Amino acid sequence: MSMKRTNVYADPEDLAIIKEAAKRRGISEAEIIRQGIHLAAMANRVWDEPLFSRTFEGPGRTLAKSEVRDAVADAVQRETDGGTAA
């Protein structure tokens, strides 16, 4: 992969943490910074498609955690049993 050089200003405390982590993990400081840039880029990316493409029938109120788990499990079970869901 081709990379492009850039300059950034960083807090000295953050750089000290990066230096310590790089030594502990046995990788370069630059690799930790590249990983951080990648995480920041992905966190701010605008996706072309929604994260969730399925909808599930519900009672019209906010569900409890267990009710959500049950509704998703039921929908997946219906898909598995009947081929594809409508």
Side-chain angles (χ1 to χ4, degrees):
M1 169 175 57
S2 174
M3 292 194 213
K4 185 174 178 180
R5 181 185 176 111
T6 189
N7 295 317
V8 297
Y9 291 96
D11 187 90
E13 289 90 16
D14 291 338
L15 293 175
I17 292 168
I18 290 170
K19 182 183 260 327
E20 179 184 313
K23 184 177 179 183
R24 184 178 64 251
R25 294 177 57 195
I27 61 175
S28 70
E29 294 171 43
E31 181 58 26
I32 291 179
I33 292 168
R34 280 191 290 273
Q35 290 172 1
I37 290 170
H38 179 70
L39 290 172
M42 294 305 290
N44 290 283
R45 180 177 176 182
V46 176
W47 298 92
D48 294 335
E49 298 177 11
L51 180 61
F52 299 104
S53 59
R54 295 184 193 177
T55 58
F56 300 99
E57 290 294 322
R61 62 177 171 75
T62 302
L63 300 176
K65 187 177 184 178
S66 62
E67 292 174 304
V68 171
R69 186 175 29 247
D70 292 343
V72 172
D74 291 345
V76 170
Q77 187 64 48
R78 280 193 304 273
E79 279 190 17
T80 303
D81 291 344
T84 58

